[in-house]
Amino acid sequence: MLEIRDLQAGAGERRILNGIDLVVNPGEVHAVMGPNGSGKSTLAGALAGRDGIEVTGGSATFKGQDLLDLDPEVRAREGLFLAFQYPVEIPGVNNAYLLKAALNEVRKHRGEPELDAMDFMTLARKRMSLLDMDDALLNRPVNDGFSGGEKKRNEIFQLAVLEPSLAILDETDSGLDIDALKTVAAGVNAMRSPERSLIVVTHYQRLLHYIVPDFVHVLYRGRIVKSGGKELALELEEKGYGWLDAEPAAATA
Amino acid sequence: MPQIAISADSYAAQFAAVKRTAPLAGPLASLRDDAFHCFDRLGFPTTRLEEWRFTNIAPIVEVPFQAPAASGGLDREVLDALPLPRSGAPEFVFVNGSFSPDLSDPSGLPPGVRVRSLAASAAGGAGGLDVLTAHLGRLARFQNHAFTALNTAFLRDGAVIEVDGGVVSERPIHLLFASSSAPAPVLSQPRVLIVAGAGSEVRIVESHAGAGDVPYLSNAVTEVSAADHAVVDHYTVVRQADAAYHVGNLAVRLGRASNFSSHTITAGGAIVRNEAGVVLGGEGGECTLNGLYLGNGRQLVDNQTTIDHAMPHCDSHELYKGILDGRSRAVFNGKIIVRLDAQKTDAKQSNKALLLSEDAQITTKPQLEIFADDVKCTHGATIGQLDPDALFYLRSRALSKAQARQLLIHAFAADLLGHIKVEAIRRGLDALLLERLPMSGE
Ligand SMILES: Nc1ncnc2c1ncn2[C@@H]1O[C@H](COP(=O)(O)OP(=O)(O)OP(=O)(O)O)[C@@H](O)[C@H]1O
Ligand SMILES: [Mg+2]
């Protein structure tokens, strides 16, 4: 699905990712954990093609294609989805309009017929109920005036409608209370399938109680310094990230 | 400047010809004379005048425009190809300022609403001349305004709309002003008088467009008198040809508790200057001035508004938005006067510009002159670019860069579009915003 080799990236003058290696196979769930500023969102952004993040070395292959060579919209059409840490408010653009346009772009790319308004609404309603989301959000401007939790739900709702093959969730848990967290996690779990992979970026293992990962990676200063199974998340929960400073040269597992 | 003298001379000869070929009844004839003297005295404005500081009209002054000798015709196909918002009758067509009955369709006007050509009104009959002498030139003052003086001096034809007290005119009344320059540059001078009786309601769309590559000058003047409790919803759509110039002056006076809204949409013309002046002349009046201006290439769009709060308890809301691409430039000057007696005034003004290219420019200036003390006045101006985070967000949702830009540009104008009650105008703008603008982006 995704194969990242020695990925280096920065923003402006600043080097942020210092050689990331990560292989994600179909159906796998990978958690990427790490302290503030370790480069988690930069990694997510580099994969999604965010402007301003400059890849300076290494490679990323997505379904056999050079991912880094594709425009962001083509990555999305190919089945890569990024749930933003900070979803962008876009006043004046209707949430349903955007999502229908997005879905139809993806469908066109796959050679499938576009959905008309009726079929789209049927699908959207089904996915909204999955996330216990208020219908009214569909007809509001994208994220405009949404609460923090509503924004995060909206991201996962988009994921559920677009059905990507690889979804990167960037701190989808932050800003959610425990009930919302459970709902969102249940929504994500409902989308899990042997063909769909997930990269779950988080600080805390709280979310990983509900979305159980196959692998956990620790990102520190732009490197994956430790990888393991789901028990690594618990270990981090106990020890925090402080120990990483003591072992700056920690081996990549 | 020598070219000013040259063109003033040429207008003097033309003025003499108009007086000969299109004589008007006594009071209107002297109005014309006064106006020409003013024009002659003032000359075309230069950038030394404060109100024209950022709008250099030297290109207009240099062209020897000719006032059309007779009412020229226009093929229906040419008219139909112009980018004018149309939603059927009642529709009145003017070619180079002159009424064209053949192209017009007056059906659908309710009883109590009269639309006549200014020429027919001036020729008398059914009190036509009385309406003109009572209102014409009283709202659009030309004593200090060269373009309005020029329009008034060459007064010959135009539209006169009268709505009787209490009458509600539901369908929009369309006035289409087509200019056509072949072979020589033409001076097209639309003139409109709207008199809305007490408690009446009317919606009027004035749209301006033209064909061809030969420059023309469309110099339009509209006067609106709204009596007590009248509701007037007015639209000006300027979509002139690339080589054309347009100068418009909308002068409005509101009675007690009347409500006037204006929507000025500019999308075409080498230089376009729209002036709107509203006097809130009775207690409890309400005025909305909205504007959307699109600039591209080397266009210059200038919007000048004046809201004169002359009486207490009046509200004004003003929202102008510009979308500027290429090397286009825009000027916005919003003047709000609150007179000593105008207590409890509530005036809001906002101008927002979206710059789509590095070379686009906007000059914006609010101008508040407040003499009363118990008032609320707010104004704001913002200038921005498309939000790169929003662009990326949309692209990450599979939309192409062009689609993402279009959507954001459209979104920028969405609130103004929402206030437009004439479907044909909204559709035209949707098409413009979604098709025209993004192509010049990088
Ligand atoms: N555009 C930028 N220009 C300069 N520095 C940047 C830019 N973007 C990110 N950085 C810096 O790079 C580092 C990594 O940022 P990133 O957002 O990837 O961290 P993160 O692991 O996602 O942190 P958090 O847990 O707070 O979300 C930070 O120190 C950040 O300040
Ligand atoms: Mg982050």
Side-chain angles (χ1 to χ4, degrees):
Chain A
M1 175 75 63
L2 176 70
E3 192 174 323
I4 305 174
R5 293 285 173 224
D6 192 29
L7 185 70
Q8 296 155 47
E13 293 292 281
R14 197 187 155 114
R15 290 195 60 166
I16 302 170
L17 301 182
N18 299 306
I20 303 274
D21 291 278
L22 183 65
V23 176
V24 178
N25 293 306
E28 289 177 357
V29 176
H30 290 246
V32 173
M33 303 182 73
N36 288 129
S38 54
K40 304 184 297 294
S41 293
T42 304
L43 175 61
L47 295 175
R50 183 188 274 283
D51 305 311
I53 294 178
E54 205 192 326
V55 175
T56 49
S59 66
T61 313
F62 178 54
K63 293 180 176 169
Q65 298 181 69
D66 179 0
L67 180 68
L68 304 175
D69 203 35
L70 304 177
D71 282 333
E73 56 271 33
V74 180
R75 301 182 195 198
R77 291 169 196 166
E78 285 287 335
L80 185 143
F81 181 87
L82 171 62
F84 282 53
Q85 182 175 7
Y86 305 109
V88 184
E89 298 194 4
I90 314 182
V93 175
N94 178 278
N95 212 14
Y97 181 93
L98 166 61
L99 195 51
K100 178 165 169 279
L103 178 61
N104 280 331
E105 284 304 324
V106 170
R107 291 179 66 94
K108 259 194 290 188
H109 190 76
R110 290 183 192 147
E112 293 167 5
E114 295 186 36
L115 287 191
D116 64 17
M118 287 265 277
D119 291 342
F120 170 76
M121 283 313 291
T122 309
L123 173 69
R125 294 240 160 74
K126 221 190 285 171
R127 296 298 191 245
M128 287 191 101
S129 65
L130 194 66
L131 286 154
D132 197 17
M133 226 171 111
D134 185 357
D135 259 26
L137 293 182
L138 204 50
N139 286 311
R140 291 207 354 221
V142 179
N143 295 320
D144 188 27
F146 287 24
S147 71
E150 283 170 343
K151 284 180 185 168
K152 294 303 175 77
R153 251 178 235 230
N154 195 39
E155 294 292 287
I156 302 307
F157 165 57
Q158 294 180 347
L159 185 164
V161 171
L162 296 176
E163 303 182 337
S165 36
L166 172 66
I168 304 165
L169 313 188
D170 192 356
E171 300 207 23
T172 298
D173 49 340
S174 65
L176 294 182
D177 62 33
I178 187 66
D179 292 330
L181 184 80
K182 282 184 188 166
T183 315
V184 165
V188 172
N189 285 330
M191 298 304 296
R192 286 181 70 165
S193 86
E195 291 84 40
R196 184 168 295 128
S197 313
L198 293 177
I199 297 176
V200 181
V201 171
T202 181
H203 271 279
Y204 307 105
Q205 65 90 44
R206 193 175 70 139
L207 177 66
L208 305 180
H209 274 310
Y210 303 101
I211 304 175
V212 180
D214 301 304
F215 302 94
V216 174
H217 310 277
V218 182
L219 189 64
Y220 183 67
R221 295 199 177 160
R223 279 203 176 81
I224 289 177
V225 293
K226 203 171 169 81
S227 295
K230 60 176 185 268
E231 61 295 335
L232 179 56
L234 291 166
E235 193 185 327
L236 287 167
E237 180 87 336
E238 251 169 57
K239 296 208 288 186
Y241 294 110
W243 59 274
L244 290 166
D245 283 319
E247 298 174 57
T252 308
Chain B
M1 287 195 276
Q3 66 268 47
I4 290 177
I6 290 166
S7 60
D9 280 353
S10 96
Y11 288 117
Q14 293 187 48
F15 178 62
V18 165
K19 281 176 50 154
R20 254 194 338 272
T21 57
L24 285 180
L28 294 178
S30 53
L31 182 72
R32 245 178 10 187
D33 284 340
D34 290 350
F36 191 76
H37 287 133
C38 284
F39 172 70
D40 204 30
R41 172 173 54 78
L42 294 165
F44 280 111
T46 69
T47 50
R48 276 182 303 242
L49 292 173
E50 183 57 30
E51 313 88 87
W52 292 88
R53 223 173 101 201
F54 303 104
T55 302
N56 183 355
I57 55 153
I60 298 179
V61 177
E62 281 160 19
V63 181
F65 293 107
Q66 296 290 320
S71 47
L74 193 72
D75 289 340
R76 193 173 281 280
E77 299 83 73
V78 177
L79 177 72
D80 290 345
L82 292 177
L84 296 162
R86 316 269 300 260
S87 47
E91 187 179 75
F92 302 86
V93 178
F94 299 79
V95 179
N96 292 336
S98 296
F99 179 51
S100 172
D102 294 350
L103 295 170
S104 303
D105 180 357
S107 60
L109 281 179
V113 180
R114 285 177 301 287
V115 181
R116 280 181 289 192
S117 78
L118 196 145
S121 294
L129 189 57
D130 297 344
V131 181
L132 293 178
T133 46
H135 298 282
L136 210 68
R138 303 205 181 239
L139 299 169
R141 313 287 296 167
F142 51 75
Q143 284 70 11
N144 278 310
H145 197 301
F147 281 100
T148 297
L150 185 65
N151 177 294
T152 311
F154 285 80
L155 193 68
R156 195 165 67 186
D157 206 352
V160 181
I161 301 178
E162 291 170 88
V163 186
D164 287 346
V167 170
V168 176
S169 169
E170 299 204 355
R171 296 168 79 168
I173 299 171
H174 283 271
L175 305 177
L176 311 185
F177 294 95
S179 298
S180 135
S181 249
V186 76
L187 173 62
S188 169
Q189 305 210 81
R191 181 87 188 201
V192 178
L193 173 64
I194 298 164
V195 181
S200 66
E201 242 184 275
V202 65
R203 177 166 290 146
I204 293 163
V205 181
E206 288 178 36
S207 48
H208 302 266
D213 305 327
V214 181
Y216 57 85
L217 170 60
S218 158
N219 178 29
V221 175
T222 297
E223 291 171 287
V224 180
S225 166
D228 297 352
H229 297 276
V231 178
V232 178
D233 191 24
H234 184 270
Y235 298 81
T236 308
V237 178
V238 179
R239 295 194 60 180
Q240 300 290 14
D242 289 345
Y245 306 103
H246 180 92
V247 178
N249 185 9
L250 170 67
V252 184
R253 187 175 181 91
L254 301 187
R256 168 185 285 267
S258 69
N259 185 317
F260 175 77
S261 44
S262 156
H263 314 258
T264 301
I265 292 131
T266 307
I271 298 177
V272 176
R273 160 105 164 186
N274 304 306
E275 295 184 28
V278 180
V279 179
L280 289 150
E283 285 194 31
E286 187 176 342
C287 153
T288 302
L289 294 187
N290 288 335
L292 178 62
Y293 48 99
L294 314 182
N296 220 324
R298 292 178 166 274
Q299 289 167 345
L300 168 60
V301 190
D302 178 354
N303 283 288
Q304 304 269 326
T305 66
T306 304
I307 300 177
D308 184 347
H309 282 265
M311 297 295 276
H313 294 286
C314 293
D315 291 355
S316 65
H317 324 270
E318 187 172 6
L319 175 61
Y320 272 71
K321 286 192 168 184
I323 301 170
L324 303 173
D325 205 346
R327 308 179 136 268
S328 65
R329 280 202 306 121
V331 179
F332 174 81
N333 190 350
K335 189 187 224 176
I336 296 175
I337 306 168
V338 182
R339 310 250 171 214
L340 192 57
D341 290 337
Q343 300 296 1
K344 306 287 180 193
T345 286
D346 189 347
K348 289 191 195 70
Q349 178 191 94
S350 161
N351 178 50
K352 298 186 174 162
L354 178 62
L355 304 184
L356 297 178
S357 84
E358 301 250 312
D359 297 316
Q361 267 184 48
I362 166 95
T363 307
T364 175
K365 189 170 93 176
Q367 213 179 329
L368 307 183
E369 295 176 10
I370 302 174
F371 303 99
D373 48 22
D374 186 9
V375 303
K376 265 200 286 197
C377 273
T378 60
H379 67 88
T382 60
I383 299 169
Q385 280 94 38
L386 289 177
D387 175 5
D389 289 337
L391 271 177
F392 174 66
Y393 189 81
L394 296 177
R395 294 180 76 191
S396 81
R397 297 303 179 252
L399 305 198
S400 70
K401 193 172 180 179
Q403 279 175 301
R405 279 172 61 92
Q406 283 170 348
L407 212 49
L408 293 178
I409 291 167
H410 191 273
F412 173 78
D415 50 353
L416 281 176
L417 297 176
H419 288 120
I420 292 174
K421 304 269 167 45
V422 180
E423 173 69 22
I425 299 179
R426 241 194 354 252
R427 254 188 288 119
L429 277 170
D430 279 343
L432 255 187
L433 291 171
L434 295 178
E435 284 156 23
R436 189 182 87 154
L437 283 157
M439 72 182 185
S440 57
E442 26 69 88

